[in-house]
Amino acid sequence: FHSYQVEAHWYQSYAQHCNIHCPVPDCLTVHATVDETLLLLTDLDAAGFDLRKENAELEDIYACLDWLASFHAVFLGSSTDGLWKCGTYWHLDTRPDELAALEDKALQDAAPQIDQCLRQCSYQTLVHGDAKLANFCFTADDPGPGVAAVDFQYVGRGCGMRDVAYFIGSCLCEEECEALQNTLLDYYFSALRQRALEIQPSVNATQLESEWRALYDVAWADFHRFLKGWSPGHWKLNSYSEKLARRVIERLQV
């Protein structure tokens, strides 16, 4: 239930800061009772974001990465009052049962360090927290798709790589993740640098990219840890995610 309270507060106090590069619905009213929260939002279909996609083409992925880069730039250094102090639904504090069930001893032992790396990075923003393909609404592809995002139950403080790694894993198979990794990260960081310079010119965009780029595999390993404890047979557990997790573990052991 608290996640719905967070979402309501997000729409009431934060959503208005989103710009044309990271659109979200407008909140018309919130009605909350002891055990129910009712949100009345504007219709994204009527605003032109009337397409939902189960499979993403490369231009769709670029559009979503542009949304994420813009969102992360807008909320760099933001307050988290009323939101999750750590965004996402899979972070370590909220998943003790999955950690205890994890049979991968090396990953289990490394989990606190992985979590700490993400929590203690210098550049923190608000993360969407559930930035999967299903939570993006698309416009028609002319001249290219635009996107808006929904479902802010898990919005809160975090490193932007939490959203990026999770999103890429939501719409690509392991071979595509590996083949397109550098291309997609280059695109995201190009957009992030541009938006950060426009919105927050005091931010050192070079340092921001350097820190976050180095945390991409750490964010991936963090979600891999959750999945491996929660659903060991999940389709997202593949050789690519395993390789990234091993690489992070080895780096932390040095």
Side-chain angles (χ1 to χ4, degrees):
F1 176 68
H2 183 61
S3 66
Y4 297 113
Q5 294 176 318
V6 167
E7 184 169 31
H9 187 69
W10 148 261
Y11 277 114
Q12 289 177 302
S13 302
Y14 292 85
Q16 67 267 27
H17 298 297
C18 288
N19 58 33
I20 60 171
H21 301 295
C22 51
V24 298
D26 293 327
C27 182
L28 302 177
T29 189
V30 174
H31 178 69
T33 62
V34 174
D35 56 0
E36 184 178 66
T37 301
L38 176 66
L39 302 177
L40 181 61
L41 306 175
T42 55
D43 185 357
L44 286 178
D45 282 359
F49 300 97
D50 56 347
L51 299 180
R52 313 291 180 265
K53 300 191 178 185
E54 296 183 1
N55 299 292
E57 301 295 331
L58 188 57
E59 65 175 5
D60 302 324
I61 295 172
Y62 283 157
C64 293
L65 289 176
D66 193 80
W67 189 97
L68 287 172
S70 302
F71 182 82
H72 295 154
V74 167
F75 293 105
L76 274 173
S78 172
S79 161
T80 57
D81 292 344
L83 307 179
W84 296 106
K85 298 305 179 186
C86 184
T88 75
Y89 63 83
W90 64 86
H91 67 85
L92 197 59
D93 285 352
T94 198
R95 292 295 181 173
D97 293 343
E98 287 77 7
L99 181 65
L102 186 60
E103 296 182 358
D104 184 334
K105 182 69 168 122
L107 185 55
Q108 187 181 56
D109 289 345
Q113 285 179 278
I114 290 171
D115 180 68
Q116 187 176 47
C117 286
L118 294 166
R119 283 178 178 261
Q120 294 187 352
C121 70
S122 300
Y123 292 98
Q124 297 283 333
T125 186
L126 294 185
V127 293
H128 177 283
D130 193 9
K132 59 191 175 187
L133 182 63
N135 283 334
F136 287 99
C137 304
F138 293 80
T139 63
D141 302 350
D142 186 20
V147 295
V150 296
D151 194 356
F152 288 88
Q153 290 182 59
Y154 299 102
V155 62
R157 186 175 190 265
C159 169
M161 290 297 94
R162 288 187 186 268
D163 278 340
V164 172
Y166 178 75
F167 169 71
I168 291 174
S170 79
C171 54
L172 294 177
C173 69
E174 59 183 303
E175 293 84 7
E176 292 169 324
C177 286
E178 184 150 25
L180 292 172
Q181 174 182 306
N182 292 336
T183 299
L184 296 180
L185 285 177
D186 287 349
Y187 183 89
Y188 167 82
F189 281 113
S190 176
L192 180 66
R193 289 172 68 99
Q194 179 182 344
R195 302 297 182 222
L197 287 170
E198 292 170 354
I199 299 166
Q200 303 207 40
S202 63
V203 169
N204 187 319
T206 300
Q207 290 182 359
L208 170 62
E209 176 176 353
S210 178
E211 181 181 58
W212 279 11
R213 191 182 279 268
L215 290 171
Y216 175 71
D217 56 358
V218 179
W220 199 289
D222 189 54
F223 185 64
H224 183 72
R225 176 267 312 157
F226 156 66
L227 273 186
K228 215 168 182 182
W230 176 63
S231 179
H234 198 282
W235 68 269
K236 289 184 181 180
L237 293 170
N238 53 51
S239 61
Y240 174 74
S241 59
E242 189 69 30
K243 181 173 72 173
L244 292 190
R246 292 307 114 192
R247 188 167 72 193
V248 170
I249 292 169
E250 289 171 9
R251 195 163 73 232
L252 291 174
Q253 291 173 341
V254 174

